[in-house]
Amino acid sequence: MSRPTPTVRVVTDSTACLPDGAADDGGPVVVPLRVLAGERSWREGVDIAPPEVAARIGAGERLTTSQPPGEDFAAVFRELASDGARAVVAVHLSGGMSGTADAAARAGQRAMLPVRVVDSRTVAMALGFAALEAARCAAEGHDAAHVAARAQQVAAASETVFLVESLDHLRRGGRLSGPAAVLGGALGVRPILAVRDGGIELVQRVRTRRAATDRLIDLAVRRAARCDAPGVAVHHLGAPERAAEVAERLQERTGTTPVVTPVSAVLGAHAGPGALAVVVADLGDHGHDEPPL
């Protein structure tokens, strides 16, 4: 039997990399970002999926990305209002990476119901966990202020670390500075990157892919040990076997079953094929900001 639809509804975007079914039965409503190639535009998760992004990049196609147009948000807000929602909490990827949160805020100013926008200052399932927890709070009957505060709390108590095969995609997309890209790619090392304070930072350089994967797991295990109730996720682009191996090792060492999903098409366009990411979020009700890994 389905639960009653909450009067506060949560909206997020497709870079949250939510698992299948997460948006059902009062869960977060997902607004898709766009993947672009020349004059062509695809809504991720609707018109294009991560495997096609990986194939296109592998074939040498240059892809870019774009935030959702304001009308997409306006249409979602209208639909939620007509379904009985009294307020919306929109939880989106870092404003340092995209104008998505700003687009949601502008549409919210013209909406038929109050819209609170939360800039998560993160992405992928760090954003996804925040949106899911916000939706859980909404389903329990909390008001919009509480729901937004819970989303902000979970997002702040999360860490995303990842590996890429090449830093060129991040550098071309403006997500990583030229000097950082040079340092990360020097001498054939494997860079470990993290989403911190709304942007991407170079954390460490490791010599081999295996060593980098081991270090990624170690960092995630350390973070999970400091969480009251860890939520763990593994993302990949075109590397399902590596992702499954990492998830298995994380489960053995943390006792938590990770969520495993492909990285979103938009994120994949910037990270490139072979990308591998691990997210750890503190889902405890009294979670607090943790120091970086």
Side-chain angles (χ1 to χ4, degrees):
M1 183 175 179
S2 63
R3 296 174 297 179
T5 302
T7 57
V8 176
R9 295 301 305 274
V10 175
V11 172
T12 190
D13 60 72
S14 51
T15 68
C17 304
L18 293 174
D20 291 342
D24 296 342
D25 199 20
V29 177
V30 178
V31 178
L33 274 75
R34 305 298 173 94
V35 178
L36 311 174
E39 298 299 318
R40 293 169 294 175
S41 173
W42 301 275
R43 295 165 296 170
E44 73 162 327
V46 179
D47 307 316
I48 194 168
E52 184 177 352
V53 167
R56 287 179 176 276
I57 295 173
E61 192 166 3
R62 292 284 295 273
L63 301 180
T64 59
T65 61
S66 175
Q67 66 201 42
E71 177 52 34
D72 286 8
F73 285 109
V76 167
F77 298 156
R78 284 196 301 270
E79 182 175 353
L80 292 176
S82 68
D83 286 345
R86 295 182 181 176
V88 168
V89 174
V91 189
H92 294 294
L93 81 156
S94 172
M97 300 180 188
S98 168
T100 299
D102 285 343
R106 289 193 298 271
Q109 292 171 358
R110 303 185 299 273
M112 300 168 60
L113 73 177
V115 177
R116 289 176 178 258
V117 176
V118 175
D119 178 349
S120 70
R121 300 189 63 77
T122 189
V123 75
M125 271 300 293
L127 165 61
F129 283 127
L132 290 171
E133 277 295 294
R136 182 187 64 80
C137 285
E140 291 177 350
H142 292 287
D143 63 19
H146 182 100
V147 171
R150 180 60 177 153
Q152 194 71 67
Q153 180 186 49
V154 172
S158 68
E159 186 85 48
T160 300
V161 287
F162 63 104
L163 308 172
V164 293
E165 292 295 299
S166 169
L167 293 172
D168 289 343
H169 302 289
L170 287 168
R171 178 180 51 78
R172 283 200 302 263
R175 268 61 180 183
L176 189 68
S177 69
V182 171
L183 286 172
L187 303 176
V189 298
R190 298 279 177 172
I192 297 177
L193 303 155
V195 178
R196 290 181 179 164
D197 195 27
I200 296 173
E201 296 182 4
L202 175 64
V203 176
Q204 291 181 346
R205 294 178 292 170
V206 184
R207 287 291 180 183
T208 66
R209 174 190 283 182
R210 172 54 60 179
T213 302
D214 291 344
R215 185 59 178 153
L216 196 72
I217 292 169
D218 288 343
L219 290 169
V221 170
R222 281 175 48 194
R223 182 53 180 260
R226 299 199 298 270
C227 294
D228 295 333
V232 181
V234 179
H235 302 305
H236 69 92
L237 185 66
E241 296 84 5
R242 289 177 64 203
E245 177 196 344
V246 168
E248 182 178 357
R249 293 172 63 185
L250 283 170
Q251 182 167 0
E252 290 173 355
R253 294 181 60 182
T254 67
T256 299
T257 302
V259 174
V260 182
T261 66
V263 72
S264 84
V266 162
L267 299 182
H270 292 288
L276 185 68
V278 177
V279 174
V280 179
D282 191 345
L283 306 182
D285 286 341
H286 303 289
H288 52 274
D289 291 352
E290 295 282 357
L293 294 173

